[in-house]
Amino acid sequence: MSAVTRMRLDKFLANTGLGSRAQVRKLIRSGQVTVDGATVKDPSFAFNPHRAIVIAAGAELEYREHHYLMLNKPPGVISATEDRLHTTVLDLLPPAYRHLKLFPVGRLDRDTQGLLLLTDDGAMAHNLLSPKKRVPKTYLALVQGWVGKKEQEAFARGIALRDFTTLPARLEILEAGPQSRVKITICEGKFHQVKRMFHALGKEVLALTRIGFGPLALDENLPPGAMRELTARELSSLLEWRQ
Ligand code: URA
């Protein structure tokens, strides 16, 4: 998968999330880093990151070419890498990740919350976002008005919007009432798609939370605004996703 056979020690350490390049250079110069058992004080020292054993401040470090974070996006934050006016999902990154070139895989609306994957793995993002892959996305929504069989059938058939007709989607009714709670799974990711689907049926979405993206499920222990690295199991389920 990886073509990297030589890497500078400072880059290696920064990639593991130990800190910025400046911070890890300090650590290296202080004599706290060994490569294959020998202390290295030169940050530009180059070696094969796949083969060497690197120990920093007593702990062995694992080489990672790419990074994968699950964010529970809070409402009010935009799914972009920069914006002059609004807080972006990258503004929420803990300091150890700020120097990496992470970006969100797809978008959630500013007022939508929930599962958003952040990565620096362009090939994986491309794969997950390809319309051909039909990656399922699952949402919980609070909808104004009663939602019933009529809406369920419309979702299953596909809904004609101004510019396209949606693929068959699943609508599960969790609680029908003057405001209804529903679970939706769509295999596309068009702009405002869920809101537009309900709007076309004369209903408005009051709140939207993404709880599933491909094989990933939103970690219920992640409060809004928090993120964590994917587990090894989550990562392999993503890497194997309909290759
Ligand atoms: N559908 C929407 O309408 N908004 C989102 O953020 C995601 C899906």
Side-chain angles (χ1 to χ4, degrees):
M1 196 169 78
S2 162
V4 177
T5 55
R6 307 280 297 165
M7 183 176 277
R8 285 173 59 117
L9 183 55
D10 52 0
K11 183 168 184 200
F12 177 98
L13 294 183
N15 274 3
T16 65
L18 266 192
S20 66
R21 286 268 191 128
Q23 287 166 329
V24 301
R25 276 181 200 140
K26 242 180 165 172
L27 189 75
I28 296 166
R29 292 201 179 102
S30 73
Q32 294 188 70
V33 181
T34 64
V35 179
D36 290 331
T39 301
V40 177
K41 290 190 169 181
D42 175 7
S44 71
F45 177 79
F47 60 100
N48 184 333
H50 298 283
R51 301 232 171 103
I53 295 178
V54 181
I55 297 180
E60 185 173 338
L61 302 176
E62 196 190 328
Y63 174 62
R64 281 176 300 164
E65 176 134 35
H66 292 300
H67 301 79
Y68 307 88
L69 296 172
M70 176 189 291
L71 165 69
N72 184 356
K73 178 192 164 308
V77 168
I78 62 169
S79 307
T81 50
E82 54 181 66
D83 191 87
R84 276 187 307 127
L85 294 179
H86 303 107
T87 305
T88 72
V89 290
L90 294 195
D91 294 326
L92 305 176
L93 284 172
Y97 295 98
R98 297 229 173 108
H99 60 289
L100 300 172
K101 293 189 174 69
L102 294 165
F103 58 87
V105 179
R107 283 167 188 271
L108 291 176
D109 294 340
R110 183 142 80 100
D111 57 352
T112 300
Q113 59 185 81
L115 174 48
L116 189 63
L117 178 66
L118 305 178
T119 189
D120 51 4
D121 183 344
M124 178 194 274
H126 182 76
N127 191 34
L128 291 168
L129 294 174
S130 161
K132 282 194 221 122
K133 300 285 170 170
R134 297 198 175 175
V135 173
K137 290 122 192 148
T138 301
Y139 298 86
L140 294 178
L142 181 69
V143 179
Q144 183 68 49
W146 292 78
V147 176
K149 221 171 171 53
K150 198 173 73 171
E151 287 77 19
Q152 253 176 337
E153 285 167 1
F155 268 66
R157 259 195 321 270
I159 298 172
L161 302 178
R162 191 172 31 79
D163 45 344
F164 75 109
T165 298
T166 61
L167 287 172
R170 191 177 146 80
L171 173 62
E172 205 182 314
I173 298 161
L174 305 176
E175 199 181 306
Q179 290 186 346
S180 301
R181 285 196 319 109
V182 297
K183 187 169 169 179
I184 305 117
T185 302
I186 56 174
C187 293
E188 315 166 270
K190 302 265 171 52
F191 191 55
H192 297 329
Q193 182 159 340
V194 173
K195 293 175 189 162
R196 291 177 68 197
M197 288 169 85
F198 277 106
H199 187 75
L201 303 177
K203 303 259 181 300
E204 298 307 322
V205 171
L206 303 174
L208 193 59
T209 302
R210 183 154 73 186
I211 58 165
F213 180 65
L216 300 180
L218 178 63
D219 182 341
E220 288 173 2
N221 297 317
L222 267 187
M227 62 186 88
R228 66 156 171 81
E229 300 234 5
L230 294 191
T231 63
R233 184 173 294 200
E234 287 170 334
L235 181 55
S236 59
S237 70
L238 261 192
L239 291 169
E240 284 158 17
W241 181 259
R242 298 188 188 170
Q243 288 295 339

